Amino acid sequence: MKIAICPGSFDPITWGHLDIIRRASVMFDKVIVAVLVNPEKNPSFTAEERLAMINEVIADMPNVEAECFEGLLADYARMKHAQAIVKGLRAVTDFEYEFQMSLINRKLNPETDTIFLTTSVQHMYLSSSMVKSVASFGGDISEFVPECICEQIKQRLCRKN
Ligand code: PNS
């Protein structure tokens, strides 16, 4: 069975992430969305909240599951017997950091390769931090995240609440 991991903070998940997850789900037998438990990054949503949002939006993808992880991604990938880590690239500016991460991960775990998918053009500008910034000022985020999690994000982040 070919297994891929889509790792990230997902604080919160956006249409950009979902596009990469969906495309990975076509290429692999199983995709594990791995949510980094990273309190030092001071996330807006707890790992449990991020996981719950992801579970809602992946419900229509039978070969995709989500869980939280702590520690090194390379160790997690080994534990899951994953052939690949799948990441999205939005722009050249993403590349240097992602390239370095992929080299380190491969050094730590030579059994798991990193595969980069080019973002779909309509998601090029999307990031969790942009979504949070727009939501914090009461802006419309309905085109950036799935409808079923939109209200929860607005409720948490809008400064007018
Ligand atoms: O969505 P993000 O914040 O860009 O995701 C980053 C993530 C979770 C992929 C990355 O921070 C990660 O893999 N963290 C786990 C720790 C690790 O393995 N670091 C690489 C060696 S320094």
Side-chain angles (χ1 to χ4, degrees), residues 97-115:
Y97 172 72
E98 294 294 349
F99 184 62
Q100 192 181 7
M101 289 282 276
S102 73
L103 289 173
I104 290 174
N105 284 333
R106 190 125 181 274
K107 183 84 188 157
L108 296 172
N109 171 6
E111 269 98 64
T112 307
D113 251 310
T114 299
I115 294 177

Side-chain angles (χ1 to χ4, degrees), residues 99-159:
F99 184 62
Q100 192 181 7
M101 289 282 276
S102 73
L103 289 173
I104 290 174
N105 284 333
R106 190 125 181 274
K107 183 84 188 157
L108 296 172
N109 171 6
E111 269 98 64
T112 307
D113 251 310
T114 299
I115 294 177
F116 295 113
L117 296 183
T118 316
T119 186
S120 294
V121 76
Q122 70 268 31
H123 300 130
M124 269 186 77
Y125 60 86
L126 255 185
S127 68
S128 297
S129 49
M130 288 293 176
V131 169
K132 289 196 281 189
S133 178
V134 174
S136 74
F137 292 109
D140 182 9
I141 56 164
S142 61
E143 282 190 43
F144 308 153
V145 300
E147 197 187 342
C148 58
I149 60 169
C150 206
E151 204 46 49
Q152 183 184 347
I153 297 166
K154 285 200 278 195
Q155 287 294 328
R156 169 65 53 86
L157 298 170
C158 185
R159 294 167 198 211

Side-chain angles (χ1 to χ4, degrees), residues 7-10 17 36 38 41 69 71-74 87 97-98 101 104-105 108:
S9 301
F10 304 106
H17 297 124
L36 179 66
N38 47 352
K41 268 198 175 181
F69 82 102
L72 287 174
L73 178 59
K87 303 217 72 183
Y97 172 72
E98 294 294 349
M101 289 282 276
I104 290 174
N105 284 333
L108 296 172

